[in-house]
Amino acid sequence: MISVMLPRHAIENGYLAFRSSTEFEVISAVVRKDFYDFLQLNQSGANQERLAIATDRSGHIPLSIQWFVTWHCNYSCEYCWQEVESDKYRIGTISKTSPREWAESFNRLNPAELFLSGGEPSLYKALPEFISLLDRSIELVMHSNLGPSFSVEKFIEFVALDRFKELTFSFHPSQTSFDDYFAKLERLAKAGFRNLKVEMVLYPPHLEHAQRVYDWCEQHRVELRFDPYTPAKISMLQRTPGQIEQMKVWTKKAAALVEQLGRKEVYQFEHKPYWGDEDGSELDLHAPIYCSAGSRRINVDGDGNAYTCMSAIDRTKLFGDKALPHYASIGNVLESGFQLLEKPIPCWEAFRCSACDFQVLDSAWVNIVEMPDHLPIPE
């Protein structure tokens, strides 16, 4: 049996035409009132109760937006998850939309937090102006590589010193020198920017730089995060047991330094993909769940297209118009009529949820309990 899911706009003139080299029979055709409700699961009384629980929990989650300002990057790090699929991610043009239009769009949505990411966000030359136009009630987090496109002078001119909840600059020794990177960072620190953080992936060739990076951050009282390196695919550089042990040591030292500076690491790992449900029951991440992606969290690309989650972006990037319909954009934030989804939706792949999404959403995840015996949903 083959299930075909089509968006309503794909049906023209009230009928569908199929070309086939063999005979086939249509067993059933269902028009779903709720586009995201696979197999009409919400009609079950037990699932309605679970959906109500998920809806109630999600009401306590403030809206969070992750904006991939551009997919382009001026670095080409071997360990970057986007660089691995550069032919799909490093395409398109950098936004020509004015900073005022972007700011008005995000101000209209009024998220509690806006996370600026990429690619390299500073490749959008008007980024500092955009930040200055953003409502001050919106907390900001940004990740940048502090590379050639990042203008310290322009940042000082337009951005308030206390504007960021976390201002993280990643150090990539294969792409820039220690002296160049830390000279720019020191200028920002001396200017008075708060909540600065250095981040470095503990890629095996980078391990030799860890001590010097740690010493600089300790001396200048700047927070530090060492991220463990995990190979993105088999052909990439693997980790030896000894290197893994070094990574563990440096990760703990960085966390301890943050604590010494009187801060708590923003990025936490006490989440359901690692543990159980908060009520003591086990959350089955390989079974469908109700998730608030699209209503309490969205991911926006450089053209303004909003997606429920990173999985939706990934499938759209990888499979294009062959991706399942529910992975499509839910709308464009630059349009005045853009609306978030109204309630949690069924998700079939919580087991591969991106950390940047589940760190925000997993407190409201609830398993769907009544399902058909056979779920014709492809992986």
Side-chain angles (χ1 to χ4, degrees):
M1 183 177 69
I2 299 175
S3 293
V4 179
M5 291 175 283
L6 298 168
R8 185 171 298 175
H9 63 72
I11 304 175
E12 297 180 358
N13 303 320
Y15 66 89
L16 286 172
F18 291 92
R19 181 179 298 171
S20 175
S21 60
T22 184
E23 292 185 5
F24 68 92
E25 177 186 358
V26 176
I27 298 174
S28 64
V30 177
V31 177
R32 294 198 305 267
K33 181 178 180 181
D34 185 340
F35 180 77
Y36 290 92
D37 181 13
F38 299 106
L39 308 181
Q40 304 182 62
L41 297 177
N42 292 349
Q43 293 186 12
S44 156
N47 286 342
Q48 285 184 354
E49 293 179 5
R50 303 296 283 177
L51 176 58
I53 293 172
T55 302
D56 179 66
R57 288 185 181 181
S58 67
H60 302 288
I61 299 176
L63 175 61
S64 171
I65 299 177
Q66 181 166 230
W67 181 26
F68 293 92
V69 183
T70 175
W71 294 116
H72 289 271
C73 188
N74 42 20
Y75 288 171
S76 55
C77 304
E78 296 178 349
Y79 43 86
C80 176
W81 61 276
Q82 293 176 23
E83 200 65 31
V84 169
E85 299 286 350
S86 60
D87 59 328
K88 298 178 177 64
Y89 277 95
R90 309 300 192 211
I91 58 177
T93 58
I94 298 172
S95 177
K96 299 294 191 296
T97 302
S98 72
R100 183 167 297 280
E101 189 174 354
W102 276 116
E104 289 175 350
S105 299
F106 287 120
N107 287 340
R108 185 165 55 244
L109 290 170
N110 191 33
E113 180 179 280
L114 177 62
F115 189 146
L116 307 177
S117 186
E120 171 49 40
S122 66
L123 286 172
Y124 176 54
K125 297 301 184 184
L127 187 66
E129 291 94 324
F130 159 78
I131 293 170
S132 70
L133 295 167
L134 203 62
D135 193 308
R136 281 299 300 256
S137 66
I138 300 174
E139 289 191 328
L140 282 182
V141 175
M142 185 171 80
H143 280 194
S144 165
N145 61 30
L146 200 56
S149 61
F150 188 96
S151 170
V152 173
E153 291 74 19
K154 198 171 181 181
F155 211 71
I156 293 173
E157 178 183 356
F158 285 98
V159 180
L161 300 177
D162 61 348
R163 187 62 186 89
F164 281 87
K165 172 183 175 182
E166 182 180 317
L167 184 52
T168 298
F169 295 107
S170 52
F171 175 50
H172 302 278
S174 64
Q175 308 295 310
T176 187
S177 72
F178 181 97
D179 291 340
D180 287 346
Y181 170 90
F182 281 99
K184 293 183 78 169
L185 184 62
E186 187 163 4
R187 286 161 62 193
L188 289 169
K190 287 183 176 179
F193 281 97
R194 302 177 191 173
N195 302 325
L196 295 173
K197 176 172 283 188
V198 172
E199 180 182 43
M200 188 179 82
V201 177
L202 293 172
Y203 189 51
H206 292 180
L207 287 168
E208 63 177 314
H209 300 277
Q211 184 67 62
R212 193 177 180 190
V213 170
Y214 178 88
D215 290 344
W216 190 97
C217 291
E218 183 180 42
Q219 177 184 349
H220 292 81
R221 299 186 60 78
V222 170
E223 294 179 40
L224 171 64
R225 177 163 64 234
F226 283 130
D227 291 333
Y229 162 72
T230 54
K233 63 179 183 178
I234 294 175
S235 61
M236 291 183 67
L237 184 63
Q238 300 298 299
R239 308 174 299 179
T240 67
Q243 290 168 342
I244 292 174
E245 288 305 310
Q246 289 184 62
M247 292 176 195
K248 290 179 179 179
V249 169
W250 284 116
T251 301
K252 291 178 181 179
K253 287 194 69 171
L257 176 60
V258 172
E259 187 175 349
Q260 290 172 21
L261 297 175
R263 293 264 292 169
K264 183 178 181 181
E265 173 60 81
V266 175
Y267 199 87
Q268 298 295 319
F269 291 93
E270 295 179 359
H271 290 260
K272 290 176 185 174
Y274 307 105
W275 312 106
D277 202 353
E278 62 185 18
D279 60 7
S281 63
E282 283 297 315
L283 186 74
D284 184 356
L285 297 179
H286 287 269
I289 64 166
Y290 285 119
C291 179
S292 301
S295 58
R296 308 316 303 150
R297 166 79 167 188
I298 57 173
N299 289 263
V300 179
D301 69 16
D303 295 320
N305 300 309
Y307 296 84
T308 54
C309 59
M310 277 304 305
S311 288
I313 290 179
D314 283 341
R315 300 306 177 275
T316 301
K317 286 285 187 183
L318 294 175
F319 302 115
D321 58 6
K322 295 182 177 62
L324 294 176
H326 60 280
Y327 291 131
S329 167
I330 64 173
N332 193 292
V333 300
L334 294 170
E335 298 176 358
S336 59
F338 172 78
Q339 291 185 331
L340 299 165
L341 300 184
E342 295 181 352
K343 60 186 178 182
I345 58 176
C347 171
W348 307 87
E349 50 185 324
F351 63 92
R352 59 185 172 205
C353 183
S354 169
C356 54
D357 288 327
F358 74 66
Q359 293 265 339
V360 174
L361 298 170
D362 75 339
S363 63
W365 283 356
V366 176
N367 271 129
I368 296 172
V369 292
E370 288 194 4
M371 295 170 287
D373 292 335
H374 302 285
L375 298 177
I377 306 298
E379 283 293 344

